[in-house]
Amino acid sequence: MSADPSLSPVSRRAVLRTAAWAAPVVALAAAAPAAAASGATTFALALGQNPLVIPAPAPVSTTTLSVQNIGASTASGPVDVVISGMAPDGFTVGAVPGSGWSNTGGTSDDELSFTWNGTLDPGGSNAFFLVIQYHGSSPRPVSGSLLITPTDPGIDAVLLQIQMPADAT
């Protein structure tokens, strides 16, 4: 078998130079799918007022629930959350959904589901109002809590503490 005269031999230096330039490209190409598959958390939930104090004599107060982009780049939803814990403590939850938020199911005295769907720049947030009302029969002081759980396991749940101090006499 004879060598092909049209092919010139490749120097070791050329091989090393090509390998040095190719290595970062290969590393970048390998890192991109790994980051996408890692499920890196991009969103967080935050409450506007926690604990939520419902002053006497009113049985109702409001706070905000927001989704925040804690990532380094623009991110898009949906983010689904479930609010639970109302029934045992006598609280109900209503909402005034903001832009991009919608009520996706449940009842105000058991469990409510909401979905936020939109796009947020890094550091951006989108909120809506939660209306918390007490319908229980226990006299003040009363306290309770609502658990707000995202369906995405990469987003931490938040616990809203509710306090209803004794009536001022």
Side-chain angles (χ1 to χ4, degrees), residues 17 22 24 54 59 78 91 94 102 109 115 125 128 130 140 143 151 157 160-162 165:
R17 186 174 46 239
I54 301 177
F91 292 99
S102 60
D109 62 348
T115 296
S125 66
F128 74 100
L130 292 177
R140 288 175 181 254
S143 63
T151 58
L160 174 60
Q161 298 291 331
I162 304 167

Side-chain angles (χ1 to χ4, degrees), residues 65-103:
L65 173 65
S66 62
V67 61
Q68 301 174 331
N69 179 355
I70 59 173
S73 60
T74 300
S76 297
V79 173
D80 300 310
V81 297
V82 176
I83 302 173
S84 60
M86 291 82 94
D89 296 323
F91 292 99
T92 60
V93 175
V96 181
S99 175
W101 286 94
S102 60
N103 182 331

Side-chain angles (χ1 to χ4, degrees), residues 55 57 77 88 138:
S138 298

Side-chain angles (χ1 to χ4, degrees), residues 61-66 93-98 101 114 127-132:
S61 191
T62 62
T63 188
T64 57
L65 173 65
S66 62
V93 175
V96 181
W101 286 94
F114 293 92
F128 74 100
F129 283 98
L130 292 177
V131 180
I132 313 300

